């Protein structure tokens, strides 16, 4: 159906340009400017990748995207990656592993807690549901930053600062209202007849939830997982706040390198920056469809 | 709301019990991670507290101190400039590009991906590092200016006049997420309306102002509210670009950064930081409320 719609749209598009007359050149011009904008936008990222592959001395000698060595020949220089990996006596492999552990736990937590809450909000009748839903919608608007001080105090009194728990535990108690809301919207779109049919067949709430609703909600689940990946990977603030030398993630390590090295060793900084961006980029490539659907329907960032 | 109290059926009882089980994580989170800390921070904002000794009640001292703290005024000014300049620029670009991409353009998916990518990376430390370098004295920007015959060795991030602008530019660079929302909205604008307007002799500009834009106002409004809230809590990029200091000359001392310095710097002024957090909360709440109120006048909801 979506494909049909697209066909209709493209038919309309070609009609439109034919009507204008000389539509070819207009559309060529449009493509030209769109590509130009795209190049300007992506150039810094490409430049960073290329700079990470140049010898340190060549990084700032030309804005060229081709990694060239001192003699002007094309050469991929991996020194920055090798040296950056152990920069400041650290171990980037460990930091990456820490990042992946945190992200994986955040995804599991969000998927479990947000789908359950969404089921409660969209399918069950209980006292206090409306007021709870209103509270959930309000927290949707609340910048998390406002709560950081008392939350920090709480975790520090529990003796958990330095561990990954202050970052991971909130995900298991459905604090990300965005995802609860998105799931509620999705569940509301699923016909209730399916639940009722399951109930007639003797399925309880849990069975209906896990066997009927969750399988249908795969797109929303994928969107939640992908966004959680990207957000918790990039979530610098809480990682900076709560993690210590042993539990620190790749992004925190990167920021420490910046502070420690000041304005030197840019090659290594860029190399490790690229390393921290690659997982996000890969998830973007694989999950693009869900990301774009997700933002389009709920207005996530 | 006129639900009368009915005798509770066993089925309903069962449902209530199921609801408690399903909602339990959310209840714990709402009380323990959101509402509880909110109340706690209100209390703390009236105390002096450094994590080591018990909180001391000081009444309105923190709020009075804030009113006299030049850094609060400065950080509010920085943050407001960023929000009031950056958010509209971001949204205008997003809308313009979405308009250009709409209507069966070939390669739409490709363009959309390319434009969207920076939104995903814009908040990362890596891009902060990159930005610091691009706008450095021998960075990419100056190299390109050199190619255009404009010699410049200013470090844009080290110059108090331009440092904030580099962050506003970074904000503009991440227009992709708003663009995707606009694209979805533009799809909802019925083609018939455009055709009818064309028949009435409306040109492209008129159609935009009188057909497309009014129908997009709910989305524009949504983006605006979200954009303002997000901009107010900008932290990572200011922290990375300025090395956590808000330098040069406090020109990137964002409110969130100042709050961070107060709470987690050497002073651990948790009471003062809580008061700062409550002011932030009030400002964001007020702006959101004003937005909602104003939206009655300019947002067009199709019935």
């Amino acid at each position: 159906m979506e494909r049909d719609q697209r066909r209709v749209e493209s038919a309309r598009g070609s009609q439109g340009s034919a009507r204008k007359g000389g539509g070819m050149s207009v559309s060529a011009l449009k493509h030209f400017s769109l590509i130009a904008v795209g190049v300007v936008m992506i150039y810094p990222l490409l430049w960073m990748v290329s700079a990470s592959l140049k010898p340190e001395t060549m990084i700032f000698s030309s804005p060229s995207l081709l990694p060239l060595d001192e003699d002007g020949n094309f050469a991929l220089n991996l020194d920055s990656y090798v040296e950056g990996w152990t920069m400041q006596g650290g171990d980037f492999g460990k930091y990456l592993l820490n990042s992946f552990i945190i992200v994986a736990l955040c995804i599991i937590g969000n998927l479990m807690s947000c789908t359950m809450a969404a089921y409660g909000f969209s399918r069950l009748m209980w006292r206090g549901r409306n007021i709870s839903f209103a509270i959930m919608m309000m927290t949707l608007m609340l910048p998390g930053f406002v709560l950081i001080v008392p939350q920090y105090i709480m975790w520090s009194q529990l003796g958990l600062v330095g561990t990954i728990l202050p970052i991971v535990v909130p995900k298991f108690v459905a604090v990300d209202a965005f995802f609860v809301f998105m799931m509620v919207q999705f569940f509301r779109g699923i016909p209730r007849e399916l639940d009722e049919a399951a109930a007639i067949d003797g399925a309880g709430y849990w069975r209906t939830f896990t066997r009927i609703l969750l399988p249908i909600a795969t797109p929303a689940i994928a969107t939640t997982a992908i966004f959680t990946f990207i957000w918790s990977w990039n979530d610098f603030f809480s990682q900076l706040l709560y993690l210590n030398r042993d539990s620190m993630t790749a992004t925190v390590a990167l920021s420490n390198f910046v502070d420690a090295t000041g304005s030197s060793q840019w090659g290594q900084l860029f190399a490790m920056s690229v390393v921290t961006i690659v997982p996000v980029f890969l998830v973007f490539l694989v999950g693009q469809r869900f990301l774009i659907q997700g933002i389009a329907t709920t207005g996530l960032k | 709301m006129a639900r009368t109290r009915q005798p509770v059926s066993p089925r309903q009882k069962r449902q209530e019990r199921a609801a408690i089980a399903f909602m339990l994580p959310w209840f714990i989170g709402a009380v323990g991670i959101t509402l509880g800390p909110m109340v706690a921070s209100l209390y703390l904002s009236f105390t002096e507290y450094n994590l080591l000794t018990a909180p001391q009640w000081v009444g309105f001292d923190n709020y009075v101190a804030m009113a006299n703290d030049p850094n609060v005024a400065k950080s509010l000014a920085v943050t407001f400039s960023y929000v009031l300049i950056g958010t509209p620029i971001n949204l205008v670009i997003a809308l313009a590009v979405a308009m250009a991409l709409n209507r069966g353009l070939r390669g739409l998916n490709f363009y959309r991906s390319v434009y969207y990518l920076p939104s995903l990376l814009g908040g990362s430390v890596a891009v902060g590092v990159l930005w610091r370098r691009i706008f450095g004295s021998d960075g990419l920007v100056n190299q390109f200016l050199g190619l255009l015959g404009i010699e410049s060795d200013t470090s844009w991030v080290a110059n108090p006049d331009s440092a904030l602008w580099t962050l506003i530019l970074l904000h503009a660079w991440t227009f992709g997420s708003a663009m995707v929302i606009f694209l979805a909205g533009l799809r909802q604008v019925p083609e018939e309306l455009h055709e009818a307007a064309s028949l009435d002799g409306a040109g492209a500009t008129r159609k935009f102002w009188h057909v497309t834009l009014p129908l997009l106002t709910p989305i524009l409004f949504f983006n605006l509210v979200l954009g303002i809230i997000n901009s107010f809590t900008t932290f990572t990029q200011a922290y990375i670009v300025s090395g956590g200091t808000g330098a040069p000359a406090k020109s990137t001392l964002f409110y969130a950064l100042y709050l961070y310095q107060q709470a987690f710097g050497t002073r651990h002024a948790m009471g003062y930081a809580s008061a700062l957090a409550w002011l932030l909360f009030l400002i964001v709440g007020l702006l959101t409320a004003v937005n909602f109120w104003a939206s009655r006048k300019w947002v067009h909801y199709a019935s």
Side-chain angles (χ1 to χ4, degrees):
Chain A
M1 205 175 106
E2 200 185 51
R3 197 174 296 158
D4 284 347
Q5 200 182 333
R6 213 175 289 156
R7 214 179 290 145
V8 170
E9 269 173 25
S10 67
R12 272 175 187 162
S14 55
Q15 259 174 27
S17 45
R19 229 185 282 140
K20 272 173 210 151
M24 246 339 263
S25 62
V26 171
S27 111
L29 193 70
K30 194 170 174 183
H31 279 286
F32 179 78
S33 26
L34 285 172
I35 290 171
V37 172
V39 168
V40 171
M41 285 185 67
I42 297 301
Y43 199 94
L45 294 173
L46 296 177
W47 180 79
M48 178 160 78
V49 174
S50 127
S52 71
L53 294 166
K54 290 175 185 173
E56 193 87 41
T57 50
M58 293 298 291
I59 293 178
F60 299 113
S61 55
S62 93
S64 154
L65 278 188
L66 280 180
L68 305 173
D69 64 12
E70 279 91 342
D71 306 323
N73 299 318
F74 177 82
L76 296 180
N77 185 317
L78 292 176
D79 288 355
S80 296
Y81 284 87
V82 174
E83 286 158 21
W85 198 264
T86 54
M87 189 164 29
Q88 306 286 311
D91 174 3
F92 223 81
K94 193 177 92 181
Y95 308 142
L96 280 174
L97 184 65
N98 288 341
S99 286
F100 275 112
I101 291 172
I102 288 181
V103 165
L105 289 173
C106 287
I107 291 175
I108 295 170
N110 261 347
L111 287 184
M112 281 170 40
S113 66
C114 296
T115 52
M116 280 170 68
Y119 181 76
F121 278 129
S122 61
R123 283 299 203 264
L124 302 174
M125 282 300 296
W126 40 282
R127 268 166 299 156
R129 188 177 76 162
N130 290 343
I131 178 96
S132 299
F133 192 74
I135 290 174
M136 195 271 291
M137 292 304 287
M138 254 149 48
T139 57
L140 198 67
M141 295 271 181
L142 183 78
F145 210 87
V146 170
L147 300 172
I148 204 70
V149 171
Q151 281 171 355
Y152 181 88
I153 293 169
M154 179 177 86
W155 296 117
S156 110
Q157 276 170 353
L158 292 171
L160 293 175
V161 169
T163 71
I164 64 173
L165 291 178
I167 296 169
V168 168
V169 167
K171 310 291 178 192
F172 281 85
V173 290
V175 165
D176 281 346
F178 267 128
F179 298 124
V180 179
F181 178 62
M182 187 179 76
M183 285 286 172
V184 167
Q185 295 292 79
F186 200 93
F187 285 166
R188 279 179 180 163
I190 301 175
R192 265 173 190 275
E193 285 75 22
L194 288 176
D195 300 39
E196 280 152 19
I200 291 168
D201 289 348
Y205 296 110
W206 182 253
R207 247 182 111 79
T208 311
F209 171 64
T210 54
R211 298 291 165 82
I212 309 285
L213 288 177
L214 286 188
I216 300 177
T218 316
I221 288 174
T223 307
T224 305
I226 291 165
F227 267 110
T228 307
F229 185 103
I230 292 170
W231 283 354
S232 33
W233 187 274
N234 282 339
D235 171 26
F236 173 63
F237 185 74
S238 54
Q239 294 172 6
L240 174 74
L241 210 56
Y242 291 120
L243 302 181
N244 63 18
R245 194 164 269 288
D246 283 321
S247 54
M248 89 178 152
T249 56
T251 45
V252 176
L254 186 62
S255 103
N256 287 348
F257 291 164
V258 183
D259 293 342
T261 58
S263 56
S264 58
Q265 296 170 326
W266 282 100
Q268 295 176 31
L269 274 174
F270 285 152
M272 292 307 104
S273 295
V274 171
V275 168
T276 64
I277 279 182
V278 164
V280 175
F281 184 68
L282 290 180
V283 168
F284 166 72
L285 281 188
V286 176
Q288 252 193 83
R289 191 162 65 88
F290 296 108
L291 280 171
I292 290 187
Q293 264 175 14
I295 327 167
T297 49
T298 55
L300 293 171
K301 188 146 170 97
Chain B
M1 284 294 109
R3 212 187 306 139
T4 46
R5 272 188 197 280
Q6 290 159 346
V8 182
S9 69
R11 187 166 174 272
Q12 212 166 346
K13 227 178 196 168
R14 218 161 57 88
Q15 198 164 137
E16 290 265 340
R17 241 181 292 140
I20 291 173
F22 273 99
M23 297 306 298
L24 192 63
W26 183 84
F27 283 132
I28 296 173
V31 173
I33 311 270
T34 309
L35 298 178
M38 227 172 135
V39 175
S41 87
L42 184 61
Y43 163 72
L44 285 172
S45 75
F46 293 102
T47 67
E48 206 177 293
Y49 182 44
N50 63 3
L51 285 178
L52 299 174
T53 52
Q56 292 275 314
W57 183 266
V58 294
F60 280 92
D61 280 9
N62 286 326
Y63 291 95
V64 174
M66 269 165 59
N68 296 318
D69 183 348
N71 284 335
V72 169
K74 178 69 192 173
S75 63
L76 280 176
V78 168
T79 310
F80 267 99
S81 326
Y82 178 78
V83 171
L84 296 181
I85 301 169
T87 309
I89 293 180
N90 180 296
L91 290 184
V92 167
I93 299 178
L95 181 57
V97 175
M99 295 283 299
L101 287 185
N102 195 31
R103 303 277 169 215
L105 184 78
R106 203 179 294 170
L108 166 74
N109 290 344
F110 173 74
Y111 289 125
R112 188 174 56 187
S113 304
V114 169
Y115 296 154
Y116 177 58
L117 182 63
S119 297
L120 288 182
L121 303 175
S124 66
V125 172
V127 165
V129 171
L130 174 65
W131 229 248
R132 198 163 146 167
R133 194 55 252 180
I134 287 179
F135 289 94
S137 55
D138 54 356
L140 207 52
V141 169
N142 282 345
Q143 285 180 6
F144 270 107
L145 287 176
L147 289 181
L148 295 173
I150 307 164
E151 289 305 325
S152 156
D153 58 355
T154 339
S155 169
W156 302 92
V157 285
N159 181 339
D161 293 329
S162 56
L164 183 59
W165 286 97
T166 65
L167 292 177
I168 290 175
L169 209 63
L170 175 54
H171 188 31
W173 188 59
T174 60
F175 69 80
S177 52
M179 174 199 75
V180 172
I181 306 178
F182 280 131
L183 271 174
L186 283 168
R187 266 220 191 130
Q188 311 289 322
V189 177
E191 181 69 9
E192 292 74 31
L193 282 180
H194 278 275
E195 279 161 9
S198 297
L199 286 178
D200 289 345
T205 329
R206 264 182 89 85
K207 271 194 282 185
F208 172 74
W209 286 106
H210 294 283
V211 179
T212 312
L213 195 61
L215 289 173
L216 277 185
T217 45
I219 294 169
L220 195 61
F221 169 68
F222 180 79
N223 271 333
L224 191 67
V225 171
L226 218 66
I228 288 175
I229 295 176
N230 286 331
S231 308
F232 256 98
T233 51
T234 301
F235 174 80
T236 307
Q237 302 313 342
Y239 181 91
I240 298 296
V241 167
S242 73
T245 60
K250 295 178 185 164
S251 62
T252 60
L253 186 65
F254 277 78
Y255 194 80
L257 187 56
Y258 186 56
L259 193 154
Y260 170 83
Q261 289 177 355
Q262 289 302 308
F264 308 107
T266 46
R267 229 154 68 79
H268 277 301
M270 292 300 185
Y272 193 59
S274 297
L276 286 171
W278 265 91
L279 181 65
L280 177 68
F281 177 62
L282 289 181
I283 291 173
V284 171
L286 203 69
L287 278 178
T288 309
V290 166
N291 254 321
F292 269 99
W293 173 79
S295 73
R296 288 166 191 226
K297 303 228 183 301
W298 64 272
V299 173
H300 168 97
Y301 288 105
S303 48

